[in-house]
């Protein structure tokens, strides 16, 4: 168990005090002007006080016209630096590192937040959630260059506000993932075709951020092991991209998988079932790279956390939903008062309705918990879906009742 509390040094020299990595969860705490509400400061202070070594924010967007869901925050020239500085400072309490996840939705922008999404190519979303999204239009080369600049600006804003680093969101089917995927990216210019071309957008973003923020500023990435679809982003693609990014100086890599068409990253976990998602892939990757690897998804028990480290599956334990239920899991493990946690299903009490809103419930429950902690309350863990649904309606209006992300 002691291995969980061993510090680790990122390639640029930043020391992270232990192996607990609070993975990104969109807090849905953005104002109408796309600035963070003050509550976010309180929430991140609790995660920092709870003992995690590295805390990643929910996805922060680079472009006000391309949000991923209601309640998003944008980092750009108009950012409210006062609140951002308070947010960064709260997240650094207790020797914790806080990094900002930076994202662009691309075509995964629901109709409720974006009527005309953009993407590398005109490839609409398929599957059961397809009717929630309008078909995208293809980005021009000038627009791609402009977006690279927007990602760079967002990273610089994060640095200037005092955050410890940034994480590029290249996973879960969002814009960078769309460029990487041969299914989504059908371009015939230098941004499409072979692997090097498909990763050009990512490389330009990384290099822009590195130049703007300097060699000492940690820049990591979240990426899919695969998209799990025929002709999509494969494990071989993923291993190639990560090794190239390591050569360019990336500081850490978080492994996830899936998108809105195949939401593998947030499969449900039930009592007694402790399957670490993407573990086999992560082990493969660990043998190929030297930068710290984080594996996220399904990790619940101390036993499985220790196993991840001892079997050389990853260097950090990525935790999302468990940390929304209990922000102090790392401290409790240190005290010996935590064994495991259940991330159970909620129910409206009406089976047919439960099936219809299952993906929505997978999100709004955790957002309700985050809002309650942010307000200084200790939430009651519940199985009743109605408070979460009403919270979504109250905070985001009707848009909050449409599935916002693939769980
Ligand atoms: C409410 C909620 C919001 C999420 N928001 C993000 C996000 O902004 N960025 C991201 O990369 N993943 C996001 N995720 C996915 C998690 O980071 C994580 O990959 C997934 O929940 C699996 O980990 P877990 O089993 O520990 O929850 C979100 C998950 C939830 C439940």
């Amino acid at each position: 168990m002691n291995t969980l509390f061993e510090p680790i040094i990122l390639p640029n020299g930043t020391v992270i005090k232990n192996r607990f990595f609070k993975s990104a969860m969109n807090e849905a705490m953005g104002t109408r002007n796309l600035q963070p509400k003050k509550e976010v400061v309180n929430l991140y202070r609790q995660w920092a006080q709870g003992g995690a070594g590295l805390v990643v924010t929910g996805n922060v967007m680079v472009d006000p016209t391309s949000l991923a869901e209601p309640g998003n925050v944008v980092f750009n020239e108009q950012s409210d630096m006062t609140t951002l500085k308070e947010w960064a400072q709260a997240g650094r309490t207790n020797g914790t590192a806080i990094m900002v996840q930076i994202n662009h939705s691309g075509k995964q922008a629901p109709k409720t937040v974006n009527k005309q999404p953009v993407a590398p190519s005109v490839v609409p979303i398929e599957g059961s959630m397809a009717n929630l999204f309008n078909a995208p239009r293809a980005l021009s080369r000038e627009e791609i260059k402009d977006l690279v600049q927007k990602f760079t600006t967002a990273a610089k804003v994060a640095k200037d506000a005092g955050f410890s680093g940034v994480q590029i969101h290249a996973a879960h089917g969002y814009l960078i993932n769309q460029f990487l995927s041969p299914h989504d990216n059908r371009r015939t210019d230098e941004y499409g075709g072979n692997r090097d071309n498909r990763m050009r957008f990512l490389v330009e973003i990384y290099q822009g951020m590195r130049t703007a923020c300097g060699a000492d500023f940690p820049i990591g990435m979240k990426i899919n092991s695969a998209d799990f679809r025929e002709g999509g982003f494969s494990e071989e693609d993923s291993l190639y991209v990560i090794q190239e990014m390591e050569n360019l100086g990336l500081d850490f890599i978080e492994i996830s998988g899936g998108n809105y068409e195949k939401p593998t990253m947030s499969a449900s976990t039930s009592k007694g079932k402790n399957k670490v998602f993407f573990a086999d892939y992560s082990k493969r990757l660990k043998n190929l790279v030297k930068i710290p690897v984080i594996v996220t998804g399904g990790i619940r028990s101390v036993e499985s956390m220790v196993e991840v480290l001892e079997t050389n599956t990853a260097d950090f334990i990525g935790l999302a939903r468990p940390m929304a239920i209990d922000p102090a899991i790392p401290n409790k493990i240190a005290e010996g008062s935590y064994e495991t946690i259940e991330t159970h299903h909620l129910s409206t009490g009406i089976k047919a309705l439960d099936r219809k809103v299952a993906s929505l419930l997978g999100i709004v429950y955790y957002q309700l918990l985050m809002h309650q902690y942010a307000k200084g309350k200790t939430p009651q863990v519940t199985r009743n879906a109605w408070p979460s649904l009403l919270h979504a309606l109250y905070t985001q209006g009707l848009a909050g009742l449409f599935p916002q992300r693939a769980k």
Side-chain angles (χ1 to χ4, degrees):
M1 196 187 84
N2 289 342
T3 47
L4 289 169
F5 293 92
E6 266 173 25
I8 188 165
I9 306 176
L10 303 183
N12 75 336
T14 303
V15 179
I16 307 295
K17 67 177 182 179
N18 63 36
R19 307 307 179 91
F20 295 98
F21 181 102
K22 186 267 170 197
S23 203
M25 277 181 288
N26 175 38
E27 311 84 13
M29 290 184 193
T31 64
R32 272 169 190 260
N33 296 332
L34 310 174
Q35 305 301 316
K37 290 182 185 158
K38 292 275 180 196
E39 286 109 293
V40 87
V41 176
N42 206 3
L43 176 63
Y44 279 79
R45 188 174 298 111
Q46 296 200 40
W47 270 319
Q49 284 169 340
L54 176 44
V55 167
V56 179
T57 68
N59 64 171
V60 158
M61 311 308 290
V62 300
D63 188 341
T65 67
S66 290
L67 306 180
E69 55 249 319
N72 276 155
V73 166
V74 171
F75 277 19
N76 61 12
E77 292 85 354
Q78 280 78 49
S79 283
D80 161 13
M81 292 307 279
T82 309
T83 309
L84 261 49
K85 284 180 184 169
E86 286 174 33
W87 184 0
Q89 199 182 7
R92 295 182 93 139
T93 310
N94 202 18
T96 313
I98 175 168
M99 304 210 187
V100 179
Q101 187 184 64
I102 303 187
N103 193 20
H104 183 294
S105 55
K107 66 180 171 180
Q108 284 192 165
K111 284 175 189 171
T112 48
V113 293
N114 195 337
K115 298 263 172 296
Q116 181 53 83
V118 294
S121 310
V122 184
V123 180
I125 292 176
E126 294 164 7
S128 60
M129 296 229 235
N131 64 345
L132 299 168
F133 304 89
N134 283 330
R137 69 168 178 81
L139 286 161
S140 70
R141 289 162 82 212
E142 291 66 35
E143 285 175 313
I144 293 174
K145 298 281 177 215
D146 181 51
L147 285 178
V148 169
Q149 189 49 51
K150 286 192 161 72
F151 270 92
T152 303
T153 303
K156 187 67 173 50
V157 167
K159 185 180 181 201
D160 292 346
F163 287 93
S164 324
V166 292
Q167 183 188 52
I168 301 170
H169 196 352
H172 298 173
Y174 293 106
L175 185 62
I176 301 177
N177 191 171
Q178 290 160 32
F179 270 91
L180 294 173
S181 158
H183 170 78
D184 297 322
N185 182 348
R186 315 272 172 97
R187 297 181 77 93
T188 53
D189 61 9
E190 71 272 33
Y191 291 99
N194 63 31
R195 281 180 182 150
D196 289 327
N197 280 358
R198 282 184 273 122
M199 73 178 286
R200 190 176 306 280
F201 180 53
L202 168 64
V203 169
E204 288 181 0
I205 287 170
Y206 170 77
Q207 285 170 333
M209 288 181 174
R210 184 56 86 205
T211 306
C213 299
D216 294 344
F217 191 65
I219 303 178
M221 178 169 86
K222 185 166 183 172
I223 195 169
N224 280 359
S225 57
D227 291 348
F228 309 106
R229 70 165 300 149
E230 192 76 29
F233 184 67
S234 66
E235 286 197 3
E236 300 314 315
D237 286 330
S238 177
L239 293 172
Y240 180 85
V241 171
I242 295 169
Q243 289 176 93
E244 291 295 307
M245 293 300 288
E246 177 178 42
N247 291 338
L248 293 175
L250 192 78
D251 289 294
F252 63 88
I253 181 79
E254 181 184 1
I255 298 307
S256 191
N259 51 36
Y260 278 73
E261 290 171 354
K262 272 228 164 255
T264 324
M265 63 287 203
S266 32
S268 58
T269 59
S270 52
K271 203 172 184 178
K273 191 176 141 204
N274 217 276
K275 190 173 175 331
V276 179
F277 309 162
F278 323 114
D280 294 341
Y281 171 85
S282 188
K283 258 188 213 162
R284 250 185 106 187
L285 176 68
K286 272 289 293 164
N287 287 322
L288 295 173
V289 296
K290 292 200 178 59
I291 51 173
V293 173
I294 299 105
V295 68
T296 300
I299 307 175
R300 303 290 176 262
S301 69
V302 185
E303 205 184 331
S304 63
M305 294 176 196
V306 172
E307 198 180 311
V308 163
L309 298 185
E310 290 187 345
T311 54
N312 205 27
T313 302
D315 303 284
F316 281 96
I317 309 302
L319 298 170
R321 289 165 287 183
M323 293 288 271
I325 297 175
D326 187 350
I329 289 174
N331 284 351
K332 289 187 177 164
I333 292 177
E335 295 160 10
S337 62
Y338 173 98
E339 239 173 71
T340 193
I341 200 162
E342 205 187 330
T343 49
H344 53 251
H345 292 283
L346 299 188
S347 174
T348 56
I350 307 163
K351 272 197 181 143
L353 185 57
D354 285 351
R355 271 196 300 277
K356 263 204 149 14
V357 295
S359 70
L360 176 61
L361 287 175
I363 288 296
V364 291
Y365 175 47
Y366 297 98
Q367 288 177 338
L368 172 64
L369 293 174
M370 289 189 274
H371 277 251
Q372 288 175 332
Y373 278 115
K375 290 210 160 86
K377 297 180 187 160
T378 307
Q380 295 295 311
V381 173
T382 178
R383 284 178 184 273
N384 179 356
W386 289 106
S388 302
L389 291 172
L390 291 174
H391 168 78
L393 190 62
Y394 176 70
T395 53
Q396 292 153 23
L398 273 179
L401 289 185
F402 291 94
Q404 303 154 23
R405 67 165 58 232
K407 289 212 244 175

